[in-house]
Structures are given as C-alpha cells and as structure tokens.
Amino acid sequence: MKVTLKNIGKKYEGREEFTIRNINLEIEDQDFCVILGPSGCGKTTLLRMIAGLNSVTEGDILFDGRRINTVPPKDRDIAMVFQSYALYPHMTVYDNMAFSLSMRKERKKIIDERVREAAESLQITDYLYSKPSDISGGQRQRVALGRAMVRKPKVFLMDEPLSNLDAKLREHMRVELVRLHKSLETTTIYVTHDQTEAMTMASLIVLMNDGVIQQAGKPEEFYNKPANIFVARFIGSPTINIIEGTVKDGKFITPDGILSITPCLEDKECLSSYEGKSISVGIRPERFESGDHHLDKFDCTIDVVEMLGKEKIIYARLDNGQELVISTPGHYNYNDGERHTFGFDISALHFFDNDTGLRIN
Ligand SMILES: Nc1ncnc2c1ncn2[C@@H]1O[C@H](COP(=O)(O)OP(=O)(O)O)[C@@H](O)[C@H]1O
Ligand SMILES: [Mg+2]
C-alpha cells in the first residue's frame, strides 16, 4: 500500500509549538521507509499519527490515495511493533500471536495456519507454548514481530523495535528484517535514531530534526549528497569534518590562511556567487589519504589514535588548532604526538552555506 503525507502538522494539546511541521512524503508500495532522527525530533509522534493513535492537527494522510485521517486504528489495515514488545505476560507465545485474530473472530484453522507460518519464518516454533518470561529478549522481539505478521497488514509500523537488544543481536535482526521484508513485500515504516539501521535497511530514508524533514531519499544520497550540515553530521561514522572559511578568488580559505583549497571546476562554478562569503567545507574522515601526492594537503599533529581493528581513527590538529578526525586502514602505523602530512581528493569535498546550512555544490 502507498502511504502519502500531505502538509502534516501536529500540535499536542497544552503545547505552545507544533511538534511536527509541514511533512510531505510519498512512501511507495513495498518501500522500506526508515524515519530517522535524534531523540525528541518527533518520529514516534509521526508514526502514531499514521497508525491513528495520535490525532492529525494539520494536513492529510492518504492510504492508496484515500484520506484516512479519522479512520480508527483497527480499520487502517496496519500492524505496529513497539520497542517494548508489549506482550501479554500471562499468555503463551502462541496465544500472544493469535490474540488479534481471535479478537476478530477468525476461524481457528486460519489462526493456527497463520501463527505457525509466522513462527516458522521467525524461527520461534519451538517456543510457541512458552511464556514471554521464559524466553530471551531476542525471542520476545520475534514474537512481537510475529504478532504483527499474522494480521497480514498492508503496512507495518515499527518504533525502534531493535533498541532493547544487544549489539550482536541487533545486527542479526537487521538482516532478518530485510529478508522478511523481501519475502513479505509489505510496505514498512520503521522509526529509529540509529543511522546504521537506516543505512542498511531502508529503501527510503527520511531524516528529521525538530519536527521537520531535513532530507528524504536513498541511503547513498545521504552519504554522497547531504542536503545540509545537519544531515552531513548525522550520517557517517566517525562524524564528517566541517571546517569554516570564506571564498576568496574562487578558493576556499580558512580565516588564518592555513588551509586553502582549490575546488574542482564544477564546484568552482557553484561557489562563484559566494565570493567573500562565509562557507564551510565538509570532508569525511575516510576520504583523507596519507602522504603528499595530493595537490591539496596539510600537515598536522596527531593527538590520539584509536585502534578499532579494521580501521584506526586518528584525532589530529592543524597548526591553527583546528581538530580533524581521520580514518585510516587498521594496519597503518601512527603514533600519538607525530607529525604527518595528509591529502585529499577535491572530489571528496562538500560545501555548505554558513547562513542557511544548505549544501552548495
Ligand atoms: N502526548 C504528548 N503530549 C505532549 N507532548 C508530547 C507527547 N508525546 C510526545 N511529546 C513531545 O513531542 C516531542 C517529540 O516526541 P517524540 O515523537 O516521542 O520524539 P522521538 O520519537 O523522535 O524521540 C517531544 O518534545 C515530546 O516531549
Ligand atoms: Mg520515539
């Protein structure tokens, strides 16, 4: 099912300001849409509006073109998975999964088929007659998913469903969710604050901040063409380096002149209207290279080296005190206190307008 949000706004009663503002979005049938953003930006509020659990202050929500603003949750053909799982503790796994279908007075045979089919694909058949308290957190999470699956909804709504799991299990469940989505092909709207979950699972990422969409698009667009400084900083680990400066004679230059960058021709054209203005340049930590074979290079002092195995993270400092984070392969040798020359390819640069924060090139 296709989900369309038109000029959606939400103002909670008793609050001065809108929590959600002017959200416009088209989530295509079979999309895996991840709504991403920092805590408190309004992700849960928006998801609950789509579910029908929050009223809509402004705008329209359409399911396959039909306005559903005032349709009650049970008639929306959706199933929701919460972070807390919200399983009934006194019921078996089987009964938890069967519950919504029993409430609908579905035939016993159909219920049994659906529960077993879901349990099979989630590999929880062995626990069907256990109570939630007798299974692990990861298994409980599967039960919560199974309970949503048996309803065969047109849309899955998931609110941080993996955040109570430990790191290893979360990684595992990410892949399982993607597999599940491939086989069920059900439109999914998934809320998380975790950029890795968004980048690995989404066909469409919607990054929000402060109740407003910052960028919506494919994962690679977020990495390669962040729409503004907030997006650039939110996606990518370690965080992108942002350096402030001005445009002078078509070049980017820091106030003290220590770092001067000649942009590539294409960027130069974009920067031409910024002559004399304050802009920032962004360089991802993994785009620096050791040595001085690059045209654009700089000397720095290494403060701290973090060894992560496959990569080393270097915290370095230019002579003007500007801090830089550089990621290099783990087998390269760097030590605290050393001086080094690093360079970068000018194709690696992102330019931003300092007044608006918006991307220039
Ligand atoms: N029922 C409510 N009444 C009033 N304010 C609320 C309510 N629920 C959430 N909020 C506020 O709305 C903002 C967004 O919250 P939420 O949607 O839960 O964000 P997120 O899920 O991105 O962490 C927060 O400032 C929160 O305090
Ligand atoms: Mg939330």
Side-chain angles (χ1 to χ4, degrees), residues 12-13 15 19 37-46 159-160 191:
Y12 281 114
E13 222 158 291
R15 286 222 152 198
T19 296
S39 177
C41 74
K43 305 180 296 294
T44 296
T45 299
L46 185 61
D159 194 351
E160 313 240 7
V191 159

Side-chain angles (χ1 to χ4, degrees), residues 76-338:
R76 288 193 185 193
D77 230 341
I78 50 144
M80 195 147 169
V81 181
F82 300 91
Q83 176 181 351
S84 62
Y85 315 151
L87 301 177
Y88 298 110
H90 60 285
M91 290 185 192
T92 61
V93 165
Y94 187 103
D95 290 338
N96 264 286
M97 286 171 67
F99 186 74
S100 65
L101 297 181
S102 310
M103 290 299 282
R104 272 200 231 156
K105 309 233 181 318
E106 199 67 71
R107 286 192 359 245
K108 280 234 157 52
K109 183 164 170 290
I110 304 262
I111 296 178
D112 193 61
E113 271 172 25
R114 296 248 191 117
V115 168
R116 287 181 191 285
E117 184 191 14
E120 199 66 30
S121 78
L122 292 163
Q123 296 162 17
I124 49 173
T125 306
D126 289 351
Y127 313 106
L128 277 176
Y129 300 101
S130 306
K131 294 270 174 67
S133 57
D134 297 330
I135 59 179
S136 71
Q139 289 156 353
R140 266 177 244 159
Q141 180 51 258
R142 284 160 200 260
V143 177
L145 281 171
R147 196 177 43 178
M149 280 165 65
V150 296
R151 303 176 57 179
K152 298 205 186 276
K154 293 258 173 66
V155 183
F156 282 118
L157 302 177
M158 305 192 187
D159 194 351
E160 313 240 7
L162 305 187
S163 41
N164 284 343
L165 306 179
D166 65 49
K168 267 262 174 289
L169 199 51
R170 215 159 48 219
E171 214 171 281
H172 179 72
M173 284 304 290
R174 274 201 322 250
V175 183
E176 297 241 324
L177 278 174
V178 171
R179 282 205 188 106
L180 204 60
H181 178 252
K182 279 211 163 85
S183 75
L184 298 176
E185 299 184 322
T186 307
T187 308
T188 302
I189 308 178
Y190 182 107
V191 159
T192 183
H193 64 273
D194 183 324
Q195 57 153 318
T196 310
E197 285 181 16
M199 291 298 280
T200 53
M201 299 198 292
S203 57
L204 170 68
I205 297 180
V206 179
L207 177 51
M208 288 176 58
N209 189 35
D210 216 4
V212 176
I213 294 180
Q214 302 291 316
Q215 186 167 351
K218 292 189 168 64
E220 56 269 27
E221 290 168 4
F222 280 76
Y223 183 77
N224 295 329
K225 279 202 171 264
N228 58 43
I229 293 182
F230 175 85
V231 177
R233 284 211 165 104
F234 201 89
I235 300 283
S237 174
T239 306
I240 192 169
N241 296 284
I242 303 279
I243 305 166
E244 292 192 10
T246 47
V247 183
K248 203 174 160 202
D249 301 328
K251 288 184 182 175
F252 170 89
I253 188 158
T254 53
D256 49 32
I258 279 196
L259 196 61
S260 161
I261 299 171
T262 311
C264 64
L265 270 181
E266 215 173 294
D267 290 346
K268 215 168 186 161
E269 219 158 89
C270 300
L271 288 178
S272 60
S273 59
Y274 282 84
E275 187 66 30
K277 289 197 181 135
S278 157
I279 67 164
S280 286
V281 66
I283 311 178
R284 297 208 179 272
E286 58 275 23
R287 296 302 298 268
F288 290 115
E289 284 169 34
S290 180
D292 50 13
H293 58 285
H294 280 288
L295 210 54
D296 284 293
K297 59 192 175 209
F298 56 89
D299 295 321
C300 61
T301 307
I302 294 177
D303 284 341
V304 176
V305 179
E306 277 181 355
M307 174 58 181
L308 297 183
K310 78 170 162 49
E311 67 176 337
K312 276 197 178 97
I313 314 288
I314 297 171
Y315 296 85
R317 200 177 288 276
L318 296 180
D319 293 338
N320 63 356
Q322 168 84 49
E323 290 176 23
L324 289 177
V325 182
I326 298 165
S327 161
T328 69
H331 62 276
Y332 284 19
N333 203 14
Y334 293 102
N335 296 299
D336 302 356
E338 282 175 0

